[in-house]
Amino acid sequence: MDSGDTTRTSGSDGLNTLDVIRIRRDFPILGTMCRGKSLVYLDNAATTQKPRQVVDAITRFYYSQNANVRRSVHYLGEQATEAHENARETLRRFLGAPRACEIIFTRGATEGINLVAQTFGRQRIDPGDEVIVSEMEHHSNLVPWQRLCKEREATLHVLPLTDNGALELDALAGLLNERTRLLAVTHVSNVLGTVNPVARIVEIAHDAGVPVLVDGAQSAPHFPVDVEALGCDFFVCSGHKMFGPTGIGVLYGREALLDAMPPHESGGEMVLTVTLEGATYDALPHKFEAGTPNIAGALGLAAAVKYLETVGMDRIARYERELLASAVSALRNMAGVTVFGAADERAGSVSFAVEGVHAHDVAQVLDGEGIAVRGGDQCAQPLMRRLGVSAMARASFAFYNTSEEVYSLERGIRKVREVFG
Amino acid sequence: MAGRAPLYEGILVEHGTRPRNFRPMPCPDCQSQAVNPLCGDELVMCFRMNGDVIEEATFQGHGCAVAKASASLLTEAVRGKSKAKALALHDRLRASLESDSDAPAGRDGLDEVTALEAVRAYPLRLRCATLAWEAMAAALTSTAPGQRLGHEPGDG
């Protein structure tokens, strides 16, 4: 962290109350009063709030560093280019990628997945080939593969869920065969909070010679991610879900795979030589970053990642695990409340239903108490169908949430029951 | 918005939790389904006609309290009305809900659905309140039964 009011943390335990009080000071929005009530922000899986350090980094860029990158030889051009490449290096370190050229800046996880589908997918998937996704995917890791398979006349297979809301890992081997070209799976369910055993999944897929794309939108904000340890071939995440700005995200891909893939968009920035007849493309990572990139976004994301590193991802993970476990157990113990999913390992989110009350009404009554949760299909309609509902309410946590806020949620749900009693 | 009136009160909660005419209708003269993917609401409105007059209206499906209350109030409000009067009620309701004005002038003839006025202070719930009415308008103006109305996320 690089501003005056830094959060010093020590030890290997989770965060303590004092740490969290200090952390909350870095997030001015958490002091918002909503309709006369203190904000209780539990919609972090939709988007997270931003610390001052992120906003400061963006402001600093526009006030003192703004120039286009990799074009202009002047002072500011040099400053901006260096800052942008430093941001890439920060993300490489955060995700444990071996090389900075394997870090592609995108608009977010959705663009990262679409990029892989439109380049790797179109190049490698022929009629009769197969792609595997899971039944718990967010629409963003499902619809691009549906479109691709339709276009390429390939088949999309679905790895099913257990009744606990975990992946049916035993079914995976049966889905893999010599026509399988890719397995795309989420690291953490945005609905159930289930943490999938991605390293094991990768192992099984690789044994069958199948590369794996991991949707890390809901994992990178909550616990340490090491793409090398996971062994995955692609990993995507979204800046705005990890305390950075909107409109920026990262695609990690193995260098050999990225090198062999055709460019996604074309134009300036991604070319070496251009004639009226054709062009040759720049090396990684620039081949995939056509046009002027979201420089301020990349710097903001790097500031967010540095903030997380300063607090410590291990400590964040330990603190959040306890907080989420207390929320899950509190909800489970409430009369008329059903918690979805019972996977052994969870992160970030818990989805629930209040008996006889539509999720949208639950969210609306909670809003009246200053509590922000999501109510709806959570962008995972096939999962809703699997669970036999059309919508559910979701409380999703970040390391700035407190156990008092879990109590507030409990009180809010009691209020829901009163209103619709 | 600190002072806005509560949404869930009185008639709206009553109709939302114990909706009237919430049942299937065998062989309706016209029906239409409306879907709001934002909150998973899905309502089917069914109508039995006697010439131009709505003899009976029922609905089925699932939705939030606002959507169900609105559908329930609709089924009671339009019974015995002509097509034209039912459609005019829809227009007046929509105009009232979308209006910024607090003046009561625009709300004449909305007595039967006055409980829906609370939604005016909750613009994100407007779609929930109008869903049943859109389905009704589609059903009454369409010659083809079983029409389905789809809406893109973000349209309301």
Side-chain angles (χ1 to χ4, degrees):
Chain A
M1 240 163 298
D2 41 20
S3 92
D5 183 21
T6 54
T7 306
R8 298 268 173 244
T9 57
S10 57
S12 57
D13 294 340
L15 307 169
N16 62 38
T17 311
L18 260 180
D19 294 331
V20 177
I21 290 172
R22 282 196 214 101
I23 285 166
R24 289 179 69 89
R25 282 193 211 127
D26 289 332
F27 293 80
I29 205 169
L30 296 178
T32 302
M33 296 300 286
C34 315
R35 323 184 204 287
K37 305 273 170 68
S38 297
L39 169 69
V40 175
Y41 188 75
L42 300 179
D43 198 15
N44 293 287
T47 199
T48 51
Q49 303 301 346
K50 325 302 174 197
R52 290 178 200 281
Q53 288 79 354
V54 167
V55 182
D56 287 348
I58 295 167
T59 307
R60 197 164 47 243
F61 172 72
Y62 282 124
Y63 280 177
S64 61
Q65 297 169 291
N66 180 53
N68 212 329
V69 291
R70 289 176 14 94
R71 293 162 171 75
S72 315
V73 295
H74 51 70
Y75 173 77
L76 288 179
E78 216 174 85
Q79 295 281 304
T81 304
E82 192 184 331
H84 193 234
E85 291 311 314
N86 285 347
R88 195 187 307 278
E89 170 58 23
T90 301
L91 267 299
R92 180 205 67 74
R93 185 180 67 220
F94 185 71
L95 296 176
R99 286 165 286 274
C101 71
E102 298 175 316
I103 298 294
I104 314 292
F105 284 119
T106 61
R107 279 189 290 119
T110 297
E111 187 183 51
I113 294 165
N114 277 279
L115 187 155
V116 175
Q118 294 303 312
T119 58
F120 177 90
R122 277 190 171 162
Q123 187 182 50
R124 304 242 186 152
I125 293 167
D126 293 321
D129 284 346
E130 301 179 3
V131 175
I132 303 173
V133 295
S134 91
E135 200 175 6
M136 67 163 73
E137 298 309 313
H138 187 281
H139 295 161
S140 61
N141 199 25
L142 173 62
V143 180
W145 305 116
Q146 290 174 336
R147 289 185 65 193
L148 176 72
C149 287
K150 193 167 180 200
E151 180 193 307
R152 306 298 299 164
E153 295 173 27
T155 308
L156 189 63
H157 288 291
V158 179
L159 181 61
L161 283 190
T162 66
D163 289 335
N164 270 352
L167 293 179
E168 189 78 75
L169 225 53
D170 294 342
L172 181 54
L175 292 176
L176 292 160
N177 63 53
E178 70 286 352
R179 297 306 300 265
T180 312
R181 293 291 171 260
L182 185 79
L183 167 65
V185 67
T186 191
H187 201 173
V188 172
S189 162
N190 69 306
V191 176
L192 304 171
T194 308
V195 180
N196 290 322
V198 165
R200 178 76 192 117
I201 291 170
V202 168
E203 211 177 350
I204 298 170
H206 282 184
D207 280 348
V210 173
V212 178
L213 177 142
V214 175
D215 174 358
Q218 301 292 348
S219 63
H222 297 296
F223 52 79
V225 165
D226 184 325
V227 292
E228 250 196 324
L230 291 175
C232 59
D233 303 276
F234 300 104
F235 183 95
V236 298
C237 56
S238 287
H240 74 97
K241 291 191 198 289
M242 44 200 287
F243 316 96
T246 51
I248 189 78
V250 165
L251 160 67
Y252 155 79
R254 278 185 199 283
E255 187 179 14
L257 290 174
L258 292 175
D259 250 340
M261 282 151 58
H264 182 217
E265 294 181 323
S266 33
E269 176 82 15
M270 51 76 73
V271 284
L272 281 182
T273 56
V274 181
T275 64
L276 288 177
E277 289 73 37
T280 58
Y281 306 126
D282 202 348
L284 293 175
H286 310 293
K287 182 172 85 172
F288 291 107
E289 294 180 357
T292 297
N294 180 358
I295 308 163
L299 269 53
L301 176 53
V305 159
K306 283 183 186 161
Y307 187 96
L308 291 171
E309 287 174 335
T310 305
V311 178
M313 285 309 292
D314 279 317
R315 305 185 72 212
I316 287 173
R318 265 191 288 273
Y319 174 74
E320 279 191 32
R321 196 176 302 139
E322 275 178 37
L323 190 67
L324 182 62
S326 75
V328 169
S329 119
L331 293 175
R332 277 202 186 123
N333 287 328
M334 291 186 78
V337 175
T338 306
V339 171
F340 294 98
D344 296 334
E345 218 189 323
R346 273 178 190 270
S349 300
V350 54
S351 287
F352 60 96
V354 180
E355 194 181 352
V357 187
H358 190 283
H360 212 156
D361 298 319
V362 173
Q364 188 82 60
V365 174
L366 291 178
D367 171 67
E369 303 301 301
I371 304 166
V373 300
R374 173 84 185 264
D377 67 21
Q378 332 277 22
C379 298
Q381 287 174 18
L383 177 56
M384 296 294 122
R385 251 168 246 130
R386 167 67 171 83
L387 298 168
V389 294
S390 63
M392 50 178 77
R394 176 187 67 192
S396 53
F397 297 83
F399 62 100
Y400 45 57
N401 289 123
T402 65
S403 41
E404 285 75 28
E405 292 179 312
V406 175
Y407 300 140
S408 297
L409 176 65
E410 264 188 278
R411 278 196 301 276
I413 294 172
R414 275 198 286 275
K415 173 93 191 244
V416 172
R417 301 255 297 156
E418 281 165 30
V419 169
F420 291 97
Chain B
M1 293 293 273
R4 65 180 180 177
L7 178 60
Y8 301 110
E9 281 204 323
I11 293 175
L12 195 143
V13 170
E14 219 269 306
H15 276 256
T17 51
R18 280 169 282 275
R20 318 293 191 272
N21 303 309
F22 184 58
R23 58 173 185 268
M25 179 187 286
C27 312
D29 292 311
C30 55
Q31 66 172 356
S32 186
Q33 181 186 39
V35 180
N36 182 358
L38 281 178
C39 51
D41 287 359
E42 205 173 301
L43 297 178
V44 182
M45 309 299 301
C46 296
F47 300 89
R48 184 169 322 287
M49 310 297 296
N50 183 359
D52 188 52
V53 174
I54 298 169
E55 208 168 59
E56 188 190 7
T58 70
F59 78 105
Q60 280 186 280
H62 52 82
C64 63
V66 176
K68 276 186 167 170
S70 184
S72 170
L73 289 164
L74 182 159
T75 58
E76 294 203 317
V78 302
R79 190 167 46 211
K81 281 193 170 61
S82 68
K83 261 189 200 181
K85 280 200 169 144
L87 292 172
L89 183 59
H90 172 213
D91 290 342
R92 279 205 304 280
L93 173 70
R94 175 172 279 278
S96 164
L97 292 181
E98 287 174 354
S99 150
D100 290 332
S101 158
D102 282 332
R107 304 187 206 164
D108 286 349
L110 290 176
D111 295 348
E112 300 138 302
V113 291
T114 190
L116 297 177
E117 287 285 307
V119 178
R120 281 162 51 83
Y122 298 80
L124 289 172
R125 304 301 295 278
L126 182 67
R127 261 316 302 269
C128 310
T130 56
L131 196 66
W133 298 82
E134 284 167 29
M136 175 190 78
L140 296 184
T141 51
S142 159
T143 47
Q147 188 183 346
R148 182 186 164 94
L149 287 180
H151 292 274
E152 293 304 312
D155 70 348

